[in-house]
Amino acid sequence: MSMRLPFFNSKQTQDEIIIDNIPDHVAIIMDGNGRWASKKGLPRIAGHKEGMDVVQRIVRAAVKYQVKILTLYAFSTENWKRPKLEVDFLMRLPKEFLHIYLPQLMENNVKINTIGEFNSLPDHTKKAIQYAKEKTKNNDGLLLNFAINYGSRYEMVRAMKHIISDVESGKIDKESLDENTLTKYLYTKDLQDPDLLIRTSGEQRLSNFLLWQLAYSEFWFTDTLWPDFNEEIFKQALCDYQSRKRRYGGI
Ligand code: FPP
């Protein structure tokens, strides 16, 4: 029998969450901050600021619904092309987010992780994230995984270079190379693949996000702009996931 969350009454059907069929790993492309701000006549960075607060609300929802891993696309390797002011603002957001929310993350047993080219981030960004990683390292609840300075094609090329070097040094045997080998050389080596990908703002593309890891994930799109995204819409995505039949190429 399925265990249901206590705060849903038994009459709920359409939006009912069955807690034993929650996706373990949810990945989100948080899109639409700029459009949200423009619509309100605000600078784009106002959308990112609002988006930061939405991150915390969705983290709380993910904890509540017992998601195990939440991967958020916070900054892509292509985002460096944006105006300096916007890039600088985005690079300050992790520090601001952690300054405000780290105590709540600790209370909720959340562990911080990142994927992406960490070393090329500004020192202040690295320092804030490293501090949070250290502080949360023994937490064993939700893994909050920020994809920051992340690009999937770069990740695969980087993995290939490491594999070639390990083949050349004799650490691994060329004949033993298979799909698992590449998986083990990606930033996500310690994580299971996402079960569910959510993208906000009406765009329906992957934008160089987890191309290898999303091979068998379920996709869910909403027109809602990220700053307007909320727990209710997150719940709809989880409920929709629960109605899907995953066949992984089988029947
Ligand atoms: C895409 O929207 C969003 C981003 C490139 C940045 C996402 C960042 C956040 C939501 C805040 C992250 C918070 C932390 C804690 C790191 P867009 O700017 O491309 O929007 P647009 O398509 O409407 O222009």
Side-chain angles (χ1 to χ4, degrees):
M1 202 169 113
S2 303
M3 189 179 86
R4 286 174 169 78
L5 284 176
F7 47 81
F8 296 119
N9 71 49
S10 58
K11 290 206 182 82
Q12 279 177 295
T13 48
Q14 196 189 349
D15 271 357
E16 191 168 42
I17 298 255
I18 302 164
I19 209 70
D20 59 8
N21 187 24
I22 291 285
D24 282 341
H25 185 173
V26 178
I28 308 184
I29 302 178
M30 309 179 288
D31 197 9
N33 294 348
R35 275 164 285 167
W36 180 90
S38 303
K39 273 180 156 182
K40 291 189 156 16
L42 298 169
R44 291 177 54 81
I45 56 172
H48 297 314
K49 176 85 168 59
E50 189 70 20
M52 180 191 84
D53 294 327
V54 175
V55 166
Q56 176 60 5
R57 275 176 244 150
I58 297 311
V59 168
R60 288 172 70 103
V63 169
K64 177 165 149 185
Y65 297 125
Q66 300 177 19
V67 170
K68 294 195 175 79
I69 306 170
L70 181 66
T71 296
L72 301 176
Y73 205 5
F75 193 91
S76 76
T77 44
E78 289 72 36
N79 287 153
W80 297 107
K81 291 184 222 150
R82 295 187 176 206
K84 186 174 180 319
L85 183 130
E86 186 172 343
V87 169
D88 289 349
F89 188 84
L90 285 168
M91 285 298 141
R92 283 198 303 273
L93 274 189
K95 186 174 177 182
E96 183 164 353
F97 174 81
L98 293 164
H99 177 70
I100 304 171
Y101 295 118
L102 191 55
Q104 281 184 41
L105 296 172
M106 285 301 291
E107 265 169 45
N108 282 291
N109 196 21
V110 174
K111 182 173 178 171
I112 303 282
N113 187 56
T114 57
I115 52 172
E117 252 341 78
F118 192 76
N119 287 336
S120 334
L121 293 172
D123 283 344
H124 63 88
T125 315
K126 282 194 280 198
K127 216 170 136 195
I129 296 172
Q130 255 154 355
Y131 176 78
K133 281 184 182 172
E134 181 59 29
K135 188 102 181 141
T136 62
K137 71 174 183 210
N138 295 323
N139 291 350
D140 58 3
L142 175 76
L143 185 78
L144 174 56
N145 185 34
F146 286 107
I148 180 159
N149 197 15
Y150 175 85
S152 193
R153 288 183 173 182
Y154 177 85
E155 176 187 37
M156 285 193 254
V157 171
R158 173 184 172 275
M160 281 180 226
K161 285 181 180 167
H162 286 157
I163 292 170
I164 290 167
S165 136
D166 284 352
V167 167
E168 283 173 352
S169 70
K171 201 168 154 196
I172 51 173
D173 173 17
K174 186 177 155 196
E175 296 312 313
S176 73
L177 296 184
D178 59 13
E179 291 180 12
N180 285 330
T181 317
L182 183 53
T183 299
K184 282 189 212 134
Y185 280 77
L186 299 175
Y187 298 121
T188 49
K189 61 181 169 13
D190 298 320
L191 309 177
Q192 64 188 91
D193 288 342
D195 300 291
L196 172 66
L197 170 81
I198 297 173
R199 183 168 188 153
T200 60
S201 91
E203 308 295 350
Q204 302 194 357
R205 54 177 174 263
L206 288 180
S207 301
N208 204 13
F209 188 47
L210 302 174
L211 303 180
W212 178 267
Q213 298 87 338
L214 291 169
Y216 285 102
S217 310
E218 297 294 325
F219 289 8
W220 194 85
F221 300 105
T222 173
D223 287 340
T224 305
L225 304 174
W226 178 253
D228 292 326
F229 195 75
N230 58 32
E231 179 178 340
E232 201 45 43
I233 307 171
F234 185 60
K235 200 174 96 181
Q236 279 170 24
L238 299 183
C239 287
D240 194 337
Y241 171 85
Q242 294 189 325
S243 69
R244 310 264 181 108
K245 297 261 177 300
R246 302 183 72 187
R247 288 191 289 273
Y248 301 94
I251 50 169

